[in-house]
Amino acid sequence: MASAAEQLAANLNFGAFAKADELKKRIWFTLGALIIYRLGTYVPLPGMNPDAVADLFKQSQSGVLGLFNMFSGGAVGRLAIFALNIMPYISASIIVQLLSSVIPSFEALKKEGEAGRKILNQYTRYLTLVLALFQAWAIAVGLQGSGNLVHEPGTFFLISTTITLVGGTMFLLWLGEQITSRGIGNGTSMIIFAGIIAEFPAQLAQTLELGRQGAISTGLLLLILVMAVCVIAFCVFMERAQRRLLINYPKRQVGNRLYEGQTSFLPLKLNTSGVIPPIFASSLLLLPTTVASFSQASGGTGFLSIMATYLAHGRPLFMVLYALLIIFFCFFYTAIVFNPVETADNLKKHGGFMPGIRPGERTAEHIDRVLTRITVLGAGYLTIVCLIPEFMITYAQIPIILLGGTSLLIVVTTTMDTVAQVHGHLLAHQYEGLVKKAKLRGARR
């Protein structure tokens, strides 16, 4: 049976949206911020040879560099000021969250609530700056050593390129925070989402052109499109799947009134970690191979070129590491965002209990056992969604990174989260309207 909130959400219409001025401001702010981001992906780094850059990317777009280009909305292929995107921030978030589970002082900050979260976010920003400096300097050195990519190589080019790339990353970090606080949706996810969607028309045109040239048969082209639709439908189904644990509240007496016992559910999402594991896994694979791809594309040899070769799309090492990282981050991130002991304690404080299970420690063990089992299913689902398209792309020899499971998963989950936030704002607006009407009726009486 649908809850009252779900029934109210089903009755939302365009009339309610037209009256929600705050929601419209948030949507316009989000669109404006994303337009600024897209404009930045077309501003090239100073001192670059655009023809040589185009040739370089054409040689390596089917590898890790192509995946990085997808996340950056094409900024890597144009070597724009936003070429690093927010990948250093994602890597920094991984490191800080790992440290918060190992270092006692970080763990204590995590338990302090909002104040501790702000301090950890500040540490994440500092670490983002360090990682961005490292990556930007490595990219600048790689570009300078890649033949005729740079018009005037030298110390000034290295310093200016590093400052520009780091500045672009820190600006996107600030822009994402503004979207989260003043717009709609999670700012980090929205920036990556906008980059993927912006590249979709070009990727679709490339697919149709391959079909026109005969490189892809009509049957294979239809199979790819059907696969994309099936993956999207599967993602929507699995993202909405829940395991509901029955919670009973006993009868209670307040004053002279006796309240009947209530029944509710503790919903546990099948995929508690959301889209974080594929993004984290991709960012960790991209971090050590960004410079390696430049070295390989420019004819470089040695360890970096070997790394770029073995971590290319479709290679066994890439598939194995990708799957293992996804599974690891599914369990790791679920353990961070959901604490069974804390949940069991809250149920005990409010008098809630699960039928047949003692409150407290036994309840926490039961929740943890159920959460572990459904996380196994969630990790398997994410691994399948992310790896099957990779196998098909490799088997069909189609250099179209956008059809990968990671990009489709990001698009689906970000869209669902944004729609949920829009519904939440509309529900809040309708609730405020009902409260105002009630106050007016009371004043008239």
Side-chain angles (χ1 to χ4, degrees):
M1 180 181 294
S3 65
E6 291 172 341
Q7 293 176 356
L8 184 57
N11 295 328
L12 295 175
N13 50 39
F14 288 103
F17 175 78
K19 297 177 181 178
D21 294 332
E22 178 64 22
L23 176 59
K24 288 189 288 185
K25 290 179 181 178
R26 287 180 172 270
I27 292 176
W28 281 115
F29 180 85
T30 303
L31 291 176
L34 294 179
I35 289 174
I36 293 174
Y37 158 65
R38 288 302 302 160
L39 291 176
T41 60
Y42 286 91
V43 179
L45 291 171
M48 301 301 301
N49 185 343
D51 296 331
V53 169
D55 293 338
L56 168 66
F57 184 73
K58 190 178 297 183
Q59 298 172 18
S60 55
Q61 64 177 341
S62 60
V64 176
L65 197 61
L67 183 62
F68 201 2
N69 186 61
M70 177 197 71
F71 284 140
S72 65
V76 171
R78 293 182 286 269
L79 283 182
I81 60 175
F82 290 161
L84 277 182
N85 206 262
I86 53 174
M87 289 306 163
Y89 172 72
I90 295 176
S91 301
S93 300
I94 298 172
I95 296 173
V96 170
Q97 289 180 357
L98 284 171
L99 293 177
S100 65
S101 301
V102 177
I103 300 178
S105 58
F106 277 51
E107 187 176 0
L109 286 174
K110 187 172 65 173
K111 295 179 179 179
E112 288 181 4
E114 184 66 19
R117 187 182 65 83
K118 289 182 178 180
I119 297 176
L120 289 177
N121 286 342
Q122 195 64 24
Y123 290 161
T124 304
R125 295 187 187 99
Y126 293 148
L127 186 56
T128 299
L129 179 60
V130 174
L131 293 177
L133 282 170
F134 168 76
Q135 288 184 266
W137 179 261
I139 289 175
V141 173
L143 290 175
Q144 184 171 261
S146 299
N148 60 343
L149 283 178
V150 181
H151 288 300
E152 297 181 4
T155 305
F156 179 76
F157 170 78
L158 294 176
I159 295 176
S160 62
T161 300
T162 301
I163 293 176
T164 302
L165 289 175
V166 172
T169 296
M170 300 310 292
F171 175 78
L172 287 182
L173 175 58
W174 174 83
L175 191 65
E177 292 176 349
Q178 297 303 309
I179 293 175
T180 302
S181 61
R182 301 172 59 185
I184 294 292
N186 180 276
T188 303
S189 299
M190 288 297 292
I191 288 176
I192 299 177
F193 169 83
I196 295 174
I197 291 299
E199 290 295 296
F200 180 77
Q203 293 283 339
L204 181 60
Q206 182 182 358
T207 307
L208 297 177
E209 180 63 20
L210 290 174
R212 188 187 67 83
Q213 295 175 356
I216 303 178
S217 64
T218 304
L220 181 58
L221 185 60
L222 292 176
L223 177 62
I224 293 172
L225 295 177
V226 170
M227 182 203 71
V229 173
C230 292
V231 170
I232 292 174
F234 182 56
C235 289
V236 173
F237 174 79
M238 296 297 285
E239 290 298 325
R240 295 179 64 89
Q242 292 181 347
R243 171 72 162 88
R244 295 186 174 185
L245 301 180
L246 180 64
I247 306 294
N248 288 336
Y249 291 92
K251 295 180 180 181
R252 58 192 179 95
Q253 185 172 359
V254 180
N256 295 326
R257 300 188 61 180
L258 181 64
Y259 292 89
E260 292 291 333
Q262 297 179 344
T263 300
S264 64
F265 294 94
L266 176 64
L268 301 177
K269 288 189 63 177
L270 188 66
N271 179 28
T272 306
S273 56
V275 74
I276 296 298
I279 294 180
F280 278 12
S282 300
S283 66
L284 281 187
L285 288 176
L286 289 172
L287 182 62
T289 55
T290 302
V291 182
S293 296
F294 282 105
S295 175
Q296 184 189 38
S298 60
T301 57
F303 175 74
L304 290 179
S305 296
I306 295 174
M307 180 188 296
T309 300
Y310 282 99
L311 288 179
H313 272 279
R315 303 289 296 195
L317 182 59
F318 174 84
M319 298 289 192
V320 171
L321 289 178
Y322 194 30
L324 291 178
L325 286 173
I326 289 175
I327 294 172
F328 168 76
F329 281 119
C330 277
F331 284 92
F332 173 73
Y333 199 76
T334 299
I336 289 178
V337 300
F338 193 94
N339 190 337
V341 176
E342 183 178 346
T343 303
D345 290 341
N346 290 334
L347 289 175
K348 187 177 181 179
K349 289 178 183 178
H350 293 86
F353 65 93
M354 296 181 182
I357 301 175
R358 294 179 60 183
E361 184 178 352
R362 296 295 183 184
T363 299
E365 291 176 355
H366 177 68
I367 295 175
D368 183 63
R369 182 167 56 252
V370 173
L371 188 63
T372 301
R373 291 177 179 177
I374 64 175
T375 303
V376 171
L377 296 177
Y381 140 69
L382 287 179
T383 305
I384 291 173
V385 167
C386 292
L387 287 188
I388 284 184
E390 297 286 347
F391 281 115
M392 291 195 65
I393 290 173
T394 303
Y395 173 77
Q397 297 296 314
I398 305 172
I400 304 175
I401 306 299
L402 190 62
L403 294 179
T406 306
S407 57
L408 293 178
L409 185 65
I410 291 173
V411 170
V412 170
T413 54
T414 304
T415 302
M416 293 178 64
D417 290 342
T418 304
V419 171
Q421 288 201 23
V422 170
H423 279 173
H425 283 288
L426 288 175
L427 288 171
H429 176 74
Q430 287 194 347
Y431 177 76
E432 290 176 359
L434 293 175
V435 171
K436 290 180 180 179
K437 289 181 180 179
K439 288 182 178 179
L440 290 174
R441 290 173 182 171
R444 291 173 181 173
R445 291 178 182 176

